[in-house]
Amino acid sequence: MPVAGLLLWASLLTGAWPAAPTQDHLLATPRLRLSFKELKATGTAHFFNFLLNTTDYRILLKDEDHDRMYVGSKDYVLSLDLHDINREPLIIHWAASPQRIEECVLSGKDGNGECGNFVRLIQPWNRTHLYVCGTGAYNPMCTYVNRGRRAQDYIFYLEPERLESGKGKCPYDPKLDTASALISECSLVL
């Protein structure tokens, strides 16, 4: 997702836009869509860039219990503070193995555009953990992220010892759009 799209989603998820104009007898309802130009005109949008060398911000999960927004991108999982989206995020670097990237390139895929670990699933697992999956350079993989019990804990780390295959849970191809749901500890990808 381009930076403009992330700005839009960040503003929509945090409620940082003015209410739509209302008629006298109707209640105000928030707008669900703004053009980039309209978003910039509100003065509430801030440039989002943490020098991660990626623009693939596609997966967003808003967690109101922890006051966080989790963002999946190429090789990274971020945890942003919902009260101050520009505060330094908690960052996990989760790249595919160099061996897997080499195999992906040898199979004819683009080394920069396709052979990375594009995070495509972030779901709450329980009060303390998230379940995350990535494309793994065309070899999907999943694991758990410890996010702590409370937002104040400021805990955010990957549990590599719990790494498992993501086949059937996450797409191989980073260009595929999917939707997912976690039902009874089983991931369902649609």
Side-chain angles (χ1 to χ4, degrees), residues 152-188:
Q152 299 83 3
D153 293 344
Y154 222 61
I155 294 173
F156 194 62
Y157 63 88
L158 198 72
E159 295 188 350
E161 68 279 358
R162 296 179 71 183
L163 189 67
E164 60 189 36
S165 172
K167 293 176 182 173
K169 302 174 190 175
C170 180
Y172 288 79
D173 188 341
K175 292 178 265 176
L176 289 178
D177 290 326
T178 60
S180 64
L182 193 62
I183 302 169
S184 298
E185 299 181 0
C186 294
S187 175
L188 173 66

Side-chain angles (χ1 to χ4, degrees), residues 94 117 120-121 131-136 138-143 162-172 187 189:
W94 186 32
N117 185 30
R120 292 295 180 252
L121 179 123
Y131 189 67
V132 297
C133 297
T135 61
Y138 281 81
N139 186 26
M141 55 187 175
C142 298
T143 192
R162 296 179 71 183
L163 189 67
E164 60 189 36
S165 172
K167 293 176 182 173
K169 302 174 190 175
C170 180
Y172 288 79
S187 175
V189 177

Side-chain angles (χ1 to χ4, degrees), residues 9 35 56 77 87 105 146 165:
W9 274 104
S35 70
D56 186 76
V77 182
R87 182 176 175 193
V105 171
N146 189 330
S165 172

Side-chain angles (χ1 to χ4, degrees), residues 101-142:
I101 293 171
E102 183 179 336
E103 291 171 6
C104 180
V105 171
L106 289 174
S107 73
K109 306 293 182 199
D110 177 16
N112 291 325
E114 297 174 302
C115 295
N117 185 30
F118 292 83
V119 177
R120 292 295 180 252
L121 179 123
I122 302 175
Q123 291 287 328
W125 181 258
N126 59 29
R127 180 95 176 120
T128 60
H129 287 79
L130 299 171
Y131 189 67
V132 297
C133 297
T135 61
Y138 281 81
N139 186 26
M141 55 187 175
C142 298

Side-chain angles (χ1 to χ4, degrees), residues 40-95:
K40 280 180 63 177
T42 66
T44 60
H46 300 283
F47 184 69
F48 178 82
N49 184 1
F50 293 107
L51 302 175
L52 298 179
N53 199 23
T54 183
T55 58
D56 186 76
Y57 301 107
R58 263 203 228 182
I59 304 303
L60 304 171
L61 173 67
K62 184 177 178 181
D63 180 357
E64 293 182 22
D65 293 335
H66 282 83
D67 294 325
R68 309 296 294 172
M69 182 167 56
Y70 302 105
V71 180
S73 69
K74 179 185 178 206
D75 298 331
Y76 292 95
V77 182
L78 299 116
S79 175
L80 305 172
D81 187 335
L82 281 177
H83 297 293
D84 183 1
I85 205 83
N86 290 317
R87 182 176 175 193
E88 190 67 27
L90 300 173
I91 301 173
I92 294 172
H93 182 242
W94 186 32

